[in-house]
Amino acid sequence: MTGLTKLVIDSYRHKYEYQKCIDRLTLEIEVIEEEMMGLTHSGIELTEEQAKSPLPMPTTTSPSHSNGRLLDLIEKKTEKEVQIDALTLSLQQADVVKKLSVEDQRLLQDLYHSCRSAEDVAGDHGYSKRGMYKHINVVIEKVL
């Protein structure tokens, strides 16, 4: 088994986990962007007396809006975007499986995404366990 074949199989095996991570990271990026825009900052709450006053209220500089905080948020966002890019690349590698025949795709689906043992899957598809893995490696190397 070549390293690329192993990478494709591993990516296929974990593709649903990768997609869930991408979705989670995307939501985290949205929260960070809201923080960056100041949408999550609630502001200063005024008492009734202060709200009735025509005079302007003194303001303070919020530590959450400092340049250091903004740079921190930018760095966090960039890290999460890099993670999303890496996971997206893994999902693209898993798409190699779409080039296989329908029977081979079904075999991989049964093997890696069902709760069945490899022996049962191999028997259902007419292979020994070792023969099934050998067949998988050969067909994936052919499409690479």
Side-chain angles (χ1 to χ4, degrees):
M1 175 187 325
T2 66
L4 192 55
T5 302
K6 186 176 180 179
L7 191 62
V8 167
I9 291 172
D10 190 53
S11 295
Y12 181 78
R13 179 183 297 149
H14 299 289
K15 72 179 187 176
Y16 296 115
E17 294 169 33
Y18 294 161
Q19 188 59 54
K20 284 171 61 175
C21 283
I22 288 172
D23 295 342
R24 179 184 49 80
L25 289 168
T26 302
L27 290 175
E28 290 176 12
I29 287 175
E30 288 178 11
V31 169
I32 290 171
E33 287 173 344
E34 286 178 2
E35 285 183 42
M36 289 170 69
M37 292 175 26
L39 296 177
T40 58
H41 182 56
S42 61
I44 300 170
E45 293 187 26
L46 302 176
T47 64
E48 275 185 47
E49 207 173 276
Q50 291 170 330
K52 291 178 185 177
S53 172
L55 301 173
M57 293 303 302
T59 59
T60 59
T61 304
S62 172
S64 66
H65 288 9
S66 68
N67 286 338
R69 176 75 175 140
L70 184 60
L71 291 175
D72 233 13
L73 292 171
I74 291 171
E75 185 177 324
K76 283 181 183 178
K77 180 182 175 190
T78 304
E79 287 173 7
K80 293 188 185 307
E81 288 171 341
V82 167
Q83 290 175 350
I84 287 175
D85 290 343
L87 291 168
T88 302
L89 180 61
S90 294
L91 284 177
Q92 290 172 348
Q93 291 168 343
D95 285 344
V96 168
V97 171
K98 292 179 182 177
K99 296 178 183 177
L100 300 177
S101 68
V102 175
E103 296 85 21
D104 291 333
Q105 288 181 34
R106 193 172 303 127
L107 172 67
L108 286 169
Q109 177 71 29
D110 290 346
L111 181 61
Y112 294 118
H113 298 294
S114 69
C115 296
R116 299 174 53 211
S117 69
E119 291 86 7
D120 291 343
V121 172
D124 288 351
H125 290 273
Y127 295 101
S128 67
K129 183 178 172 183
R130 184 176 178 188
M132 175 184 65
Y133 284 115
K134 186 176 180 180
H135 173 73
I136 289 170
N137 291 333
V138 168
V139 295
I140 289 177
E141 285 180 18
K142 280 183 183 177
V143 296
L144 292 176

